[in-house]
Amino acid sequence: MAIDIPSFNISTLEQMYIDSCKRHGVLPNTEILSGFLKAEVKKSCNEICSLEIILDQLEDIDVPPLLDVCANIETSEIEVVDIRNGPNCALHGEYALSLMRAFIQKLQVVDLQDLPFGKDFLRELSQKGLACQILNLRSSHFRNLNMAGKFMQIHTLNLDFSTSLTSFQEDCFTCMPILTCLSMCETRVANLWTTIAALSKLSSLVELRFQKWICCNDSAFPSASSGGNLEDQPDVRELLTDIDEESYLNQGTDEATGNVFSFDNIATGQQVQSMMEDSSDDNEVDFSSYWQEFDYMDMLANFSSGWNRQVNLQSELSSGTLGNKKEESLHGYFGRHIADVPSKYISHHASPICFEKHYREYMIASLPNLKVLDNLPVRKIDSERAAVTFSQYFEYLPYNRKHKESAVSILHKREIKDTRSHMLSKNQKPSYSHGNSQYSYTRSLCAAKLGSSAWPLLHSLSVSGCDLSDGSRSFRPRQFEYHPSLSSIMVFGTLDGEVVVVNHENEKVVRYVSSLGAMNSVLGLCWLKKYPSKCTRNYALYVSEDLLECGEFIAGSDSGLLKLYDIEHMPPTITGMYSAAGSITFDDFDQLTSVHVNSTDELFLASGYSKNVALYDINSGRRIQVFTDVHREHINVVKFSNHSPSVFATSSFDQDVKLWDLRQKPIQPCYTTTSVSRGNVMVCFSPDDHYLLASAVDNEVRQLLAVDGRLHLSFDIAPTGSSQNYTRSYYMNGRDYIISGSCDEHVVRVCCAQTGRRLRDISLEGKGLGNSMYVQSLRGDPFRVNLLASCGDAKGYSKTRDSCPSISMGG
């Protein structure tokens, strides 16, 4: 038997509210009474009967009486409830949140633009969820977004101008099954891979924007949800003159309800405001909303005046010339393409992700249900082009694997391979790809590991275990090298001239040499490879219970000091009075930047801020020869080949990379190859010496054939436009992939060494604004696939607290 639920009329609700105020001993809030009256008027006019609650018109004492009535509103004549905050809200966050959560079925719009409630409110909101349909969080202070709570009814989410927002946590968007429209204009989101991994959870997402394209004339494209047939529309590259721009820019349709929605209609028209408060240590929110790390935000802020409830198109177009100039300046800073969109369209309020090469194609290919991206429709032809572009420039999984596979499945296949293979006829082929390769399972496990998560595991090395005379300290690493045969050992040199040998697995310092005023920044480090010394049992305590091979290494500082250290004979700590035990000193090489030992551990080379290269004999401790004027500018890096003890390469800021052979008396190079635009920062050989990897300023990375210097592959990494963006690149996973990072960017890029396709970008975000790490040095782990390490500096700080963080892709 059905139970009749009483439907309260508005006058009854009003009287209930007045009675509740009497019980609580407070006067009725006139604005709430006015809200009931407006709802009554709407009902009498046959309009949607809505109750609007403005938070800045309430005080804490007004909330309890209103909460008593909320349950009855759910079964009343009122159809929808909208909650908005204003510029002068004095209500505490917990009262605001309790009021929002009092409505279960009828809460339509929650507009919290420029919300003043603080990080605890944001955390509670994102973790517990809300029952609204439209949520406006413009200008909020999320930094690492984790909206994992239940937002089961939400179809529109606005995060525009959240200028602290950089990334998404792995559980973000897991409970938004009907989210249709999402806007994140002018945020700091930049990583394509983690962004797509988060957005892929939104199965109903059809409209997305990270920027706002506006046409210079009175035309634009229709919204996917406005009813137009996207397939009938002309190419994006053609100018359209027959479509109403305002309708396209602002409106869409919730397919589930048929209701027309608008991103801009939920805004309150206020300008974006910066709250200059102390940075939060929490990993989700940040209340320092200015972009300390990006100068271009100053340009963006000049025309980020916010969107009104009704777009004033004429105003926007009248300022189009100025906006276009600023966008051109911004484009010049990045040197990147926003999208393949005609010049008659101006991009406004773009997030950094929009400046990634092939951004639009990557988004379309990765989100197949998307109908509108950045106000431009996604048509069949766009999807087809995006698929081609994605396959040309990106790798979905390592080694061109097309589908994700679990590690358990791969191991199972390995176990049954022999059983299955002998059962196949001669004409049959195993279904397992690359099954005949000796590296097949390693590569498949590599792909499975990376495919398990788009979020890399970042671990900062916090070393300890060394009894330093000045107690515990924070190192400032500048250069580091993995041990050639012990997977747990690395050595790093610091900006203060210290040399530290560390077990990076248990984070214990095993040897430490202070600078003693003799060394400045340690810029050159290289292990000897073939003839390591034997360690003492004292050292073995840090590594294993058995005696293990440790070795010797060369260290050089920018002051010119060059030393060979033997771990076996080094005391655990060298501090205070200088001790020469365990070290050999070579003749100085002024302004040194690089050292490298040859494959037989007999010779090493040094280069620096000069046009010369010095050759040293390790056994005798003498400098054998100085090769003068081998380049026209200073030689930043010199590298011996990995297998030929007489062949080496030099890279210089004169834009040349040269290959030399000591057997031919390096008067003339074997060959010279020149970078396209700027000077070369470094060069290195592939592990098998088949290739040279040359890195020039501002992300110009090329792979050359080592035999003759011909260009094999140019990696399509977007430049920033900065002449100080020094780029360094190394091989990873043998010679299968390369990693590349630059000192003006807090990202490490991973690209296929055979095709140049991009596999991942890894953002090095620290805790709190300004703690992002800008890459000064990086290496691929020689013993583990998908693992790399980097060190750098957090700009704006005198010291970085991150010491040689290791990065494991795919967790």
Side-chain angles (χ1 to χ4, degrees):
M1 180 177 178
I3 300 176
D4 293 331
I5 300 176
S7 178
F8 298 97
N9 59 39
I10 297 175
S11 59
T12 302
L13 291 175
E14 183 177 0
Q15 187 59 49
M16 286 180 176
Y17 170 67
I18 294 173
D19 294 340
S20 179
C21 288
K22 292 179 180 178
R23 290 195 302 271
H24 287 276
V26 298
L27 293 175
N29 186 295
T30 56
E31 297 297 335
I32 295 176
L33 295 176
S34 175
F36 284 124
L37 177 60
K38 292 176 182 177
E40 187 74 57
V41 171
K42 292 176 184 178
K43 179 193 172 187
S44 64
C45 296
N46 293 321
E47 298 177 5
I48 294 177
C49 183
S50 63
L51 174 65
E52 186 174 60
I53 300 173
I54 308 298
L55 296 181
D56 65 343
Q57 296 172 351
L58 303 180
E59 297 181 2
D60 293 347
I61 59 173
D62 295 319
V63 174
L66 186 56
L67 289 176
D68 292 344
V69 185
C70 288
N72 295 320
I73 291 178
E74 291 283 288
T75 57
S76 71
E77 296 175 329
I78 293 177
E79 297 176 76
V80 296
V81 177
D82 296 337
I83 298 178
R84 306 179 188 274
N85 76 302
N88 302 309
C89 183
L91 196 65
H92 283 84
E94 60 268 24
Y95 286 99
L97 203 55
S98 63
L99 184 58
M100 296 173 200
R101 291 195 171 139
F103 301 99
I104 306 300
Q105 300 296 328
K106 296 188 176 181
L107 187 59
Q108 179 175 258
V109 175
V110 173
D111 187 348
L112 300 177
Q113 173 175 307
D114 299 316
L115 77 170
F117 299 126
K119 66 178 184 180
D120 291 335
F121 176 88
L122 282 174
R123 187 187 298 110
E124 178 73 12
L125 174 67
S126 61
Q127 293 300 312
K128 298 294 181 61
L130 209 58
C132 63
Q133 299 176 37
I134 298 174
L135 179 58
N136 182 16
L137 292 173
R138 283 169 42 123
S139 306
S140 61
H141 299 276
F142 291 106
R143 191 177 63 83
N144 192 0
L145 189 65
N146 188 24
M147 297 188 73
K150 292 185 177 181
F151 295 86
M152 306 303 289
Q153 300 179 44
I154 188 172
H155 62 70
T156 301
L157 175 61
N158 191 326
L159 291 164
D160 292 344
F161 305 110
S162 299
T163 54
S164 294
L165 179 59
T166 61
S167 56
F168 309 92
Q169 291 193 25
E170 203 159 354
D171 294 330
C172 192
F173 302 139
T174 52
C175 294
M176 296 185 181
I178 63 170
L179 185 70
T180 306
C181 302
L182 175 61
S183 186
M184 291 182 282
C185 298
E186 200 164 315
T187 64
R188 290 175 59 201
V189 174
N191 191 295
L192 288 171
W193 287 265
T194 54
T195 300
I196 283 297
L199 296 180
S200 296
K201 301 183 184 75
L202 300 172
S203 58
S204 300
L205 185 67
V206 296
E207 188 157 358
L208 172 68
R209 68 183 186 186
F210 285 98
Q211 61 187 329
K212 183 178 181 181
W213 285 107
I214 296 180
C215 187
C216 295
N217 60 13
D218 294 331
S219 64
F221 297 108
S223 171
S225 47
S226 63
N229 187 345
L230 299 181
E231 305 308 324
D232 295 337
Q233 301 303 327
D235 194 301
V236 175
R237 295 159 183 78
E238 300 175 2
L239 176 64
L240 300 182
T241 58
D242 57 345
I243 301 169
D244 180 77
E245 178 176 35
E246 186 171 355
S247 172
Y248 168 70
L249 290 177
N250 299 332
Q251 290 189 356
T253 303
D254 180 358
E255 295 180 354
T257 63
N259 294 329
V260 175
F261 63 81
S262 167
F263 280 126
D264 299 304
N265 285 344
I266 62 175
T268 59
Q270 300 298 323
Q271 286 194 335
V272 179
Q273 298 178 1
S274 294
M275 297 177 63
M276 307 302 291
E277 303 178 19
D278 292 337
S279 178
S280 168
D281 292 332
D282 189 276
N283 199 37
E284 298 172 2
V285 294
D286 196 322
F287 281 82
S288 297
S289 61
Y290 69 106
W291 282 34
Q292 177 179 345
E293 302 166 7
F294 295 93
D295 294 337
Y296 62 81
M297 276 309 296
D298 293 335
M299 291 185 286
L300 288 177
N302 290 334
F303 59 91
S304 300
S305 58
W307 299 340
N308 296 324
R309 294 196 184 194
Q310 189 70 26
V311 173
N312 188 338
L313 184 61
Q314 182 62 37
S315 174
E316 288 191 352
L317 295 181
S318 66
S319 62
T321 304
L322 177 61
N324 194 25
K325 290 181 179 178
K326 292 177 180 177
E327 288 292 339
E328 289 175 359
S329 176
L330 176 60
H331 172 77
Y333 179 86
F334 275 94
R336 306 177 182 180
H337 301 288
I338 294 180
D340 190 9
V341 176
S343 59
K344 292 181 174 60
Y345 291 88
I346 303 173
S347 171
H348 284 248
H349 315 302
S351 296
I353 195 172
C354 304
F355 298 90
E356 290 290 333
K357 278 191 174 181
H358 314 298
Y359 147 78
R360 182 171 176 83
E361 292 82 1
Y362 187 91
M363 286 288 175
I364 293 173
S366 303
L367 299 171
N369 295 328
L370 208 59
K371 301 300 181 185
V372 176
L373 177 61
D374 301 333
N375 297 100
L376 300 179
V378 178
R379 298 153 304 122
K380 183 177 180 181
I381 189 173
D382 299 323
S383 299
E384 292 171 349
R385 288 171 175 166
V388 172
T389 300
F390 185 96
S391 63
Q392 182 177 357
Y393 294 103
F394 299 94
E395 268 195 3
Y396 176 60
L397 289 172
Y399 304 104
N400 209 28
R401 301 296 200 263
K402 300 301 183 183
H403 305 286
K404 292 182 180 180
E405 192 172 10
S406 71
V408 173
S409 174
I410 294 169
L411 293 173
H412 177 68
K413 288 180 179 181
R414 185 179 67 177
E415 292 300 318
I416 66 173
K417 178 186 176 185
D418 292 337
T419 305
R420 293 180 58 190
S421 60
H422 80 268
M423 297 175 62
L424 298 174
S425 65
K426 292 182 179 180
N427 295 329
Q428 289 179 305
K429 294 182 179 180
S431 60
Y432 189 72
S433 61
H434 307 286
N436 295 324
S437 169
Q438 61 175 321
Y439 302 110
S440 172
Y441 290 105
T442 300
R443 289 173 173 175
S444 294
L445 287 170
C446 166
K449 181 179 179 182
L450 187 138
S452 66
S453 175
W455 284 266
L457 176 63
L458 274 70
H459 171 68
S460 293
L461 184 62
S462 179
V463 296
S464 62
C466 191
D467 184 18
L468 305 180
S469 60
D470 57 350
S472 61
R473 60 176 301 151
S474 176
F475 295 112
R476 299 195 299 161
R478 175 57 182 84
Q479 189 63 273
F480 70 97
E481 293 287 348
Y482 284 100
H483 193 283
S485 57
L486 291 178
S487 61
S488 62
I489 301 301
M490 70 163 55
V491 60
F492 66 84
T494 72
L495 294 171
D496 302 306
E498 303 152 305
V499 178
V500 186
V501 181
V502 61
N503 184 325
H504 61 84
E505 292 180 353
N506 62 20
E507 300 187 334
K508 299 293 185 182
V509 172
V510 294
R511 293 292 185 271
Y512 169 79
V513 180
S514 66
S515 63
L516 306 172
M519 299 184 79
N520 293 329
S521 297
V522 177
L523 300 182
L525 286 171
C526 188
W527 289 93
L528 276 63
K529 308 171 188 65
K530 298 295 184 181
Y531 307 107
S533 63
K534 297 294 182 179
C535 298
T536 64
R537 290 190 179 273
N538 184 44
Y539 170 69
L541 293 175
Y542 292 99
V543 183
S544 73
E545 295 180 356
D546 300 321
L547 293 178
L548 296 173
E549 295 179 343
C550 320
E552 302 164 311
F553 60 88
I554 303 288
S557 72
D558 58 3
S559 65
L561 185 63
L562 274 167
K563 283 182 173 290
L564 182 146
Y565 290 98
D566 186 341
I567 295 179
E568 178 183 359
H569 298 102
M570 288 171 60
T573 304
I574 302 176
T575 58
M577 183 178 296
Y578 173 73
S579 171
S583 67
I584 298 173
T585 303
F586 296 88
D587 292 341
D588 287 0
F589 187 93
D590 290 340
Q591 296 182 300
L592 178 144
T593 59
S594 174
V595 296
H596 202 248
V597 179
N598 74 347
S599 60
T600 59
D601 290 348
E602 297 172 331
L603 306 170
F604 77 87
L605 292 163
S607 68
Y609 286 98
S610 72
K611 304 173 185 178
N612 308 329
V613 172
L615 180 66
Y616 293 82
D617 184 281
I618 293 176
N619 294 323
S620 66
R622 295 186 304 107
R623 183 167 60 199
I624 302 174
Q625 192 173 355
V626 176
F627 308 113
T628 59
D629 296 324
V630 297
H631 281 273
R632 291 169 286 117
E633 298 291 342
H634 76 264
I635 303 164
N636 197 54
V637 169
V638 58
K639 293 285 186 183
F640 270 111
S641 73
N642 294 303
H643 301 284
S644 177
S646 61
V647 175
F648 66 94
T650 54
S651 63
S652 169
F653 280 90
D654 64 4
Q655 295 188 228
D656 288 342
V657 168
K658 297 183 179 183
L659 189 81
W660 309 84
D661 193 332
L662 292 174
R663 294 169 295 187
Q664 299 177 359
K665 295 184 180 180
I667 300 173
Q668 293 293 330
C670 301
Y671 59 77
T672 300
T673 180
T674 303
S675 61
V676 176
S677 57
R678 291 191 170 101
N680 289 292
V681 179
M682 66 160 292
V683 66
C684 68
F685 287 84
S686 64
D688 59 2
D689 288 343
H690 193 71
Y691 300 111
L692 280 173
L693 187 63
S695 305
V697 173
D698 202 20
N699 294 329
E700 183 187 330
V701 182
R702 300 172 300 138
Q703 185 167 252
L704 314 170
L705 293 175
V707 66
D708 56 13
R710 283 179 297 156
L711 178 66
H712 173 260
L713 189 62
S714 181
F715 296 91
D716 190 27
I717 303 175
T720 66
S722 169
S723 61
Q724 307 298 314
N725 190 34
Y726 301 114
T727 302
R728 297 166 176 87
S729 306
Y730 282 88
Y731 287 94
M732 184 182 77
N733 292 12
R735 67 163 190 178
D736 295 340
Y737 289 88
I738 67 112
I739 52 175
S740 183
S742 301
C743 65
D744 275 356
E745 299 176 274
H746 55 89
V747 63
V748 174
R749 299 176 176 89
V750 185
C751 302
C752 177
Q754 297 306 308
T755 64
R757 291 194 290 258
R758 295 169 66 184
L759 177 63
R760 287 288 188 274
D761 284 1
I762 302 167
S763 301
L764 304 180
E765 296 286 350
K767 291 185 177 181
L769 191 64
N771 280 338
S772 297
M773 195 178 72
Y774 294 76
V775 180
Q776 295 284 352
S777 185
L778 74 167
R779 300 288 188 276
D781 191 312
F783 304 99
R784 302 169 179 87
V785 296
N786 286 8
L787 192 66
L788 59 114
S790 67
C791 69
D793 192 16
K795 292 196 173 180
Y797 290 80
S798 60
K799 290 189 177 182
T800 173
R801 298 185 182 274
D802 293 327
S803 176
C804 292
S806 64
I807 305 163
S808 177
M809 295 190 298

